[in-house]
Amino acid sequence: MMLLACLFTGCAQTGKEMLFNGQDLSNWNFVVEDDRVPADQVYSVQDGGVLIQGDPLGYMYTKETYGNCMLEVEWRWVDEPANSGIFLLIADATSPFPNGIECQLHAGDAGDFVLLGGSEMAEYRQPEGEARPRFPVVKKRNASSEKPAGEWNRARILLRDGEITVFINEVLQNVGTCPVKEGAIGLQSEGGKIAFRNMTVTR
C-alpha cells in the first residue's frame, strides 16, 4: 500500500497521519449553513469515530492543508442511504459549498466528482450552448461499488499535483485533474446521518 501511495504521489514515505485523534474535533473547523445551530449539534464524536447529522447543510474541514498524499476514509450510513461527500483541495472555506472538488458519497454515486464554488477540472465537458450548471459533475467510470446502509465503505483517494484518483472499496471509480494542488480536506453534512472512521493521510 505504501509503495502504491508513493508511485501515485511521488512523495517520500513519511508514515500515516490520523486526521481524527479519536477523542475530539480540535483539529477541525466547521461550517453550518446560516449558523442555524452550534457546530457541535451537527458534528460530534461517537463510538470512536465522527458522526455528522446531515442537517443543517455544511461541512467540517481540516485546519491543515494537504497536497500530494493518499487519503483513506471509511464511512457508513447510520439510517437510510443519503447524501454526503469528501471535499478535496478546498481553496476558500466560507460558504456551505466552498471552492474545491467533492468526491461524491451520495448513495449510488460514490466516486463522482462535483465541481464546487467555481472550481475547475480538465475532464469536465460542458454541453455546447448550455450555461454552466451550479454543480458540474464528472461521472464515475464504473457501476456502484458501495455497500448497503449500515456497512462500512472505504474511499482511497490519491492526490498528485492536482490529479485526483478515487477508489471506492478498491474499485477505481474516477480520475480528474484540478489546477489547485493543495487545500483542506472536508466532510460534508447533507441529507442524512453519516459516520466516518479510520481517516488517515499518507504523505
Side-chain angles (χ1 to χ4, degrees), residues 171-192:
V171 175
L172 174 64
Q173 288 292 4
N174 224 335
V175 179
T177 309
C178 177
V180 177
K181 297 179 173 55
E182 182 173 322
I185 294 167
L187 304 174
Q188 188 185 34
S189 173
E190 183 184 14

Side-chain angles (χ1 to χ4, degrees), residues 18 42 50 70 83 92 102 109 130 142 148 152 167 174 177:
M18 301 297 295
V42 183
V50 175
M70 177 172 68
N83 195 4
D92 179 21
E102 175 183 356
D109 297 318
E130 295 184 13
N142 295 301
W152 288 100
F167 294 83
N174 224 335
T177 309

Side-chain angles (χ1 to χ4, degrees), residues 68-188:
N68 289 3
C69 66
M70 177 172 68
L71 169 66
E72 297 175 275
V73 176
E74 293 182 0
W75 86 93
R76 71 176 179 90
W77 302 113
V78 176
D79 299 319
E80 297 297 321
N83 195 4
S84 184
I86 300 170
F87 292 176
L88 306 165
L89 303 175
I90 297 173
D92 179 21
T94 52
S95 74
F97 296 105
N99 185 291
I101 303 298
E102 175 183 356
C103 173
Q104 179 69 270
L105 297 184
H106 178 270
D109 297 318
D112 285 0
F113 290 132
V114 184
L115 282 56
L116 304 176
S119 61
E120 299 292 344
M121 192 164 253
E123 290 71 17
Y124 174 64
R125 297 291 181 265
Q126 184 170 318
E128 187 175 352
E130 295 184 13
R132 177 184 167 107
R134 185 182 181 193
F135 300 114
V137 174
V138 177
K139 293 295 295 181
K140 60 189 177 68
R141 299 184 173 192
N142 295 301
S144 173
S145 51
E146 303 160 50
K147 297 180 181 180
E151 296 186 24
W152 288 100
N153 297 275
R154 181 169 178 258
R156 181 160 52 93
I157 302 171
L158 308 172
L159 301 175
R160 182 184 180 185
D161 297 330
E163 182 178 270
I164 306 171
T165 305
V166 174
F167 294 83
I168 302 295
N169 294 323
E170 303 308 324
V171 175
L172 174 64
Q173 288 292 4
N174 224 335
V175 179
T177 309
C178 177
V180 177
K181 297 179 173 55
E182 182 173 322
I185 294 167
L187 304 174
Q188 188 185 34

